[in-house]
Amino acid sequence: MVTRANEFVQYCCELLSTVGPCVAKRMFGGYGISTDGLTIAILVDLGRGEKLWLKASPETTSQFESAGCGRFTYQAKGKTRSMGYYSAPDEAMESAHEMAPWARMALDAALAARQPRVKSGIVPACSANSAVARTTVSVRQQKPK
């Protein structure tokens, strides 16, 4: 049986499909929508009906805010908390074409969040330097005796 909620989930996946095939999975009383293993949106009812929330990054929050999108906030242990998601613009909810640039921003934010953060002066363990060290070791092992 397809419920009204399931129809909305499917519709949101269709709206976001310009960035790739989307999958919706139940999480925290709502849904996470991902493409290629990257969560780009969530569907949650914060008391005013289910709403599509798109992943944002520090670079894109101003675009969401200037479009009148609200930030995802909730109450936990008596405190207001927020996550890096903003409501989708109303006009973008009308078609995949209108949603396309917002879906792209959400995907870019998910890709950026997946990248390891590098603090200045600290080289991560998976850096090019460690790759060079592994290459050097393997070359040394291959030298004829």
Side-chain angles (χ1 to χ4, degrees):
M1 179 170 114
V2 176
T3 65
R4 186 174 174 95
N6 288 342
E7 287 176 3
F8 187 61
V9 171
Q10 289 174 338
Y11 178 69
C12 289
C13 284
E14 290 170 14
L15 287 176
L16 296 168
S17 66
T18 59
V19 295
C22 293
V23 176
K25 292 185 180 179
R26 295 280 301 161
M27 61 184 285
F28 308 117
Y31 292 87
I33 299 177
S34 61
T35 184
D36 198 25
L38 297 167
T39 301
I40 59 172
I42 55 176
L43 271 171
V44 181
D45 183 348
L46 295 176
R48 291 168 282 178
E50 279 197 320
K51 186 173 257 196
L52 179 64
W53 302 87
L54 302 172
K55 188 156 186 72
S57 68
E59 295 77 26
T60 61
T61 57
S62 62
Q63 289 175 276
F64 281 100
E65 290 169 355
S66 66
C69 303
R71 186 167 185 155
F72 181 87
T73 58
Y74 61 98
Q75 294 290 316
K77 298 181 181 179
K79 293 184 180 180
T80 300
R81 311 238 184 222
S82 64
M83 292 174 52
Y85 290 85
Y86 281 80
S87 59
D90 290 338
E91 64 276 3
M93 293 299 296
E94 299 299 320
S95 72
H97 175 76
E98 293 292 326
M99 181 64 76
W102 299 97
R104 184 73 225 175
M105 280 194 292
L107 177 60
D108 289 345
L111 286 166
R114 181 174 73 172
Q115 298 301 316
R117 294 187 182 142
V118 178
K119 294 181 182 176
S120 61
I122 299 173
V123 179
C126 61
S127 72
N129 289 341
S130 62
V132 169
R134 283 192 302 273
T135 305
T136 304
V137 169
S138 67
V139 169
R140 287 182 189 148
Q141 292 172 349
Q142 294 176 5
K143 286 184 178 177
K145 294 185 179 186

